[in-house]
Amino acid sequence: MRTCAICLNTMKPGHGHAIFTAECSHSFHFHCITSNVKHGNQICPVCRAKWKEIPFQSVASNLPHGVSRINSVGWPQDDAWMTVLRRLPSSHMDASRQIASLFHAPEPAIYDDDEVLEQQPEIREKSTPIADAADNDCTGTLEVKTYPEVSAVPRSSFHNNFAVLIHLKAPHISDRQNGSRNHTILPRISQNSRASVDLVTVLDVSGSMAGTKLALLKRAMSFVVQNLGPSDRLSVIAFSSTARRLFPLRRMTEIGRQQALQSVNSLISNGGTNIAEGLRKGAKVLIDRKWKNPVGSIILLSDGQDTYTINSPGGNHPRPDYQSLLPISIHRNNGASLQIPVHAFGFGADHDASSMHSISENSGGTFSFIEAESVIQDAFAQCIGGLLSVVVQELQIKIECVHPSLQLGLIKAGSYPTSMTADARMGSISVGDLYAEEERDFLATVNVPVDASRTETSLLKVRCIYRDPITKEMMTPEEANEVTIQRPETTRQVVVSTEVDRQRNRLHAAEAMAEARAAAENGNLAGAVCVLESCRKALSETVSAQSGDRLCAALCAELKEMQERMANRRVYEESGRAYVLSGLSSHSWQRATARGDSTDSTSRVQSYQTPSMVDMVTRSQTMVMGNAPRQRNLQPAQSFPARGQPR
């Protein structure tokens, strides 16, 4: 039985729907194809043939631009979310026509037409206590804990590369309200308890997005729109061969949401893939804006490879210059004054994972691999669940040596920038934003000197400074967190901290993934598999693995999954590369990404999900779809056991 390639519903004569058969022999519902043509598309959505004759638009089919005819596979007509797109109030139809006209209207040279915000509080400096290592119930301020590798070193011994773990946990959002606009039973984060967001979505609408992909993207975007608050602002950039801004940064009030839904629903797919132009306009929206919400971010989605900047005719680069896709203005390594992370989503099997990972890494964002196309909404939900819960900004960790003979060795912080003074007595880590209850773990190494005259040696002082995004106050600790170890004459048995060991395992696994990826890119898949297998065996013999640590088990499961996705060149090209790069992104930033089943409750892969992310993913998965809940492709990740007592 045939289906309409636009709405994906069955085409059956005699059921109240006229059927249009084009000159290329492909058939569609008449009202679907006339809507398509009305928006300027005169190319077959299936075979891309250019039509000489187009369907006549009858009065019955001459509906306003914003009215949706999307009813994708398995979505009943009473799907509450698609109804939002289909049944927009008539009072907003003029706005719909205005938005539709933006497709052809000239754009301003400067994007300073963003909607005004409410008055922002002044920036102030403030000293506030930050939880010390013994405080396990910290909820209002940043929690800082330190763990030395071992609690005691003989006073006559020199300990080389002694590791100290610095553990951070962001405060939770306590102000949560029952009920929500979306008629679910989940608690909703109050707008007053979190930082407001300026979000720009840069969406691929090239020809390869036709049909199911575009329908799923529209549906995912409707979820994003419905879950932004009235103080959050959204702008949408659509790109194919060129890019266009559908509307400026607009507050997601009731009217703003309706207008956003209408513009998203008017998207059509056509043309090539110009990622660089889409990002240029997306960055321009945030750079040119007159007003600024505390959190600014870009979500990029693409299902293909850039054919204009990377692989354009005349390009003679021996290796692709992926950095050229990202505007210099938001490149974190080029001294950009404004930090705008790009959270990139590779959609399906044909996207360019290397370019998407490069874009996200160089901007400070994450890269997610949407392997099953139907998971796009859940992947977006996980991302905005984090963005809508930022509680810490501009976080800096300062590390200072205490003992006069001590020097810092290495600071292992993944992708986070680190610095060290010339005398190696002080170091710092630039962490940036943290989501509510998000955790970070960093390892610093020192060489513990002989200290024959003391029973205790002070190694390091750790202090943090950050901005509260709500009050704009700079929060500094009253006292630093000091790391000390005992110095007995002798020690009978050295007990290695499980906390330090498990983080060493995480870093070791991430290094193995990077090494395996490099080998695979050089054509040595067998070598890549050996690297992963060797790491997996080494992890299984560590202290934390022997104690049944779940993080270690998760890392081993992830390494095994990567081995399977490097079985041969075809598998690696189709999914292995994207899976590995998404894993590297997740571990280097210690932030959740969507990839395979990494957020499935039955998966053993560590995902870094926060409670706010879990809530938003659950909200996405439990949307009422007619009489049956939608199949759950992503599930909340299980939490790891509580941490041991710090030293």
Side-chain angles (χ1 to χ4, degrees), residues 233-418:
R233 298 188 302 177
L234 175 70
S235 179
V236 176
I237 306 293
F239 72 91
S240 52
S241 299
T242 59
R244 59 186 181 273
R245 185 188 67 162
L246 301 192
F247 55 90
L249 276 174
R250 179 165 295 152
R251 291 175 58 196
M252 289 296 99
T253 58
E254 288 299 326
I255 293 178
R257 281 197 299 273
Q258 296 289 356
Q259 293 173 343
L261 289 169
Q262 290 165 345
S263 66
V264 167
N265 192 47
S266 66
L267 290 172
I268 57 174
S269 58
N270 190 21
T273 305
N274 195 338
I275 295 175
E277 181 65 9
L279 283 175
R280 186 188 70 80
K281 289 199 173 183
K284 183 176 174 61
V285 168
L286 292 175
I287 291 170
D288 290 357
R289 59 187 164 160
K290 188 178 296 183
W291 315 96
K292 290 182 176 66
N293 264 325
V295 180
S297 189
I298 293 173
I299 286 179
L300 166 69
L301 178 130
S302 177
D303 75 330
Q305 303 186 19
D306 184 277
T307 52
Y308 290 81
T309 304
I310 298 299
N311 299 315
S312 57
N316 296 316
H317 298 292
R319 299 189 69 175
D321 180 21
Y322 292 127
Q323 293 192 29
S324 62
L325 295 173
L326 186 70
I328 294 177
S329 57
I330 60 172
H331 198 301
R332 68 186 180 99
N333 292 330
N334 288 344
S337 58
L338 189 62
Q339 296 299 309
I340 303 174
V342 178
H343 298 288
F345 292 81
F347 195 22
D350 297 326
H351 76 278
D352 187 346
S354 296
S355 68
M356 298 291 274
H357 177 261
S358 175
I359 289 167
S360 62
E361 184 71 12
N362 288 312
S363 65
T366 55
F367 166 59
S368 290
F369 170 35
I370 304 177
E371 185 169 20
E373 294 171 358
S374 60
V375 178
I376 178 174
Q377 180 174 298
D378 295 331
F380 275 16
Q382 179 171 268
C383 183
I384 66 169
L387 293 174
L388 297 179
S389 68
V390 172
V391 292
V392 169
Q393 289 192 298
E394 301 174 28
L395 172 60
Q396 291 273 339
I397 303 173
K398 305 293 184 182
I399 307 169
E400 180 182 358
C401 293
V402 178
H403 191 282
S405 300
L406 212 64
Q407 286 185 316
L408 288 169
L410 297 174
I411 300 176
K412 298 185 177 182
S415 292
Y416 292 99
T418 62

Side-chain angles (χ1 to χ4, degrees), residues 62-282:
N62 191 23
L63 299 176
H65 287 208
V67 179
S68 173
R69 300 175 181 84
I70 299 297
N71 184 34
S72 294
V73 177
W75 299 346
Q77 290 290 340
D78 58 347
D79 175 352
W81 291 92
M82 297 313 293
T83 299
V84 172
L85 295 175
R86 286 199 300 269
R87 301 177 181 174
L88 295 171
S90 59
S91 61
H92 296 301
M93 289 308 172
D94 289 339
S96 173
R97 296 187 187 96
Q98 292 172 9
I99 290 173
S101 68
L102 287 175
F103 279 84
H104 307 289
E107 296 182 21
I110 300 177
Y111 291 159
D112 60 354
D113 51 355
D114 50 304
E115 187 171 358
V116 67
L117 298 174
E118 297 177 354
Q119 187 174 2
Q120 301 291 315
E122 296 181 359
I123 296 178
R124 292 173 288 172
E125 302 288 331
K126 179 181 179 180
S127 293
T128 185
I130 291 183
D132 60 24
D135 183 0
N136 293 320
D137 298 316
C138 173
T139 56
T141 56
L142 182 67
E143 178 182 323
V144 182
K145 297 180 180 180
T146 53
Y147 301 82
E149 180 180 338
V150 294
S151 60
V153 174
R155 65 184 64 169
S156 59
S157 297
F158 176 86
H159 196 305
N160 195 30
N161 292 323
F162 186 90
V164 175
L165 171 64
I166 302 168
H167 170 71
L168 310 176
K169 185 173 183 179
H172 69 61
I173 295 178
S174 58
D175 185 7
R176 302 176 74 85
Q177 300 174 339
N178 291 326
S180 82
R181 175 168 60 237
N182 301 324
H183 310 295
T184 73
I185 60 173
L186 297 172
R188 187 173 189 82
I189 299 174
S190 168
Q191 185 81 56
N192 296 327
S193 65
R194 64 170 178 83
S196 298
V197 177
D198 282 343
L199 178 63
V200 178
T201 56
V202 179
L203 309 176
D204 187 343
V205 292
S206 59
S208 58
M209 287 289 293
T212 304
K213 285 184 178 179
L214 188 61
L216 290 168
L217 174 59
K218 290 181 180 182
R219 192 173 186 279
M221 279 302 300
S222 75
F223 178 85
V224 172
V225 169
Q226 289 293 317
N227 280 279
L228 295 177
S231 294
D232 301 314
R233 298 188 302 177
L234 175 70
S235 179
V236 176
I237 306 293
F239 72 91
S240 52
S241 299
T242 59
R244 59 186 181 273
R245 185 188 67 162
L246 301 192
F247 55 90
L249 276 174
R250 179 165 295 152
R251 291 175 58 196
M252 289 296 99
T253 58
E254 288 299 326
I255 293 178
R257 281 197 299 273
Q258 296 289 356
Q259 293 173 343
L261 289 169
Q262 290 165 345
S263 66
V264 167
N265 192 47
S266 66
L267 290 172
I268 57 174
S269 58
N270 190 21
T273 305
N274 195 338
I275 295 175
E277 181 65 9
L279 283 175
R280 186 188 70 80
K281 289 199 173 183

Side-chain angles (χ1 to χ4, degrees), residues 469-498:
I470 304 295
T471 66
K472 302 300 167 92
E473 295 172 345
M474 291 303 298
M475 315 293 279
T476 58
E478 293 179 346
E479 294 183 6
N481 191 299
E482 189 165 344
V483 183
T484 61
I485 57 173
Q486 300 301 310
R487 304 305 299 269
E489 288 194 13
T490 59
T491 55
R492 295 182 178 178
Q493 183 178 4
V494 177
V495 179
V496 178
S497 165
T498 302

Side-chain angles (χ1 to χ4, degrees), residues 51-68:
W51 292 334
K52 296 178 182 178
E53 297 180 2
I54 59 175
F56 174 75
Q57 290 180 289
S58 66
V59 176
S61 66
N62 191 23
L63 299 176
H65 287 208
V67 179
S68 173

Side-chain angles (χ1 to χ4, degrees), residues 525-537:
L525 284 175
V529 171
C530 285
V531 168
L532 297 174
E533 178 62 21
S534 176
C535 179
R536 196 159 65 94
K537 288 182 178 178

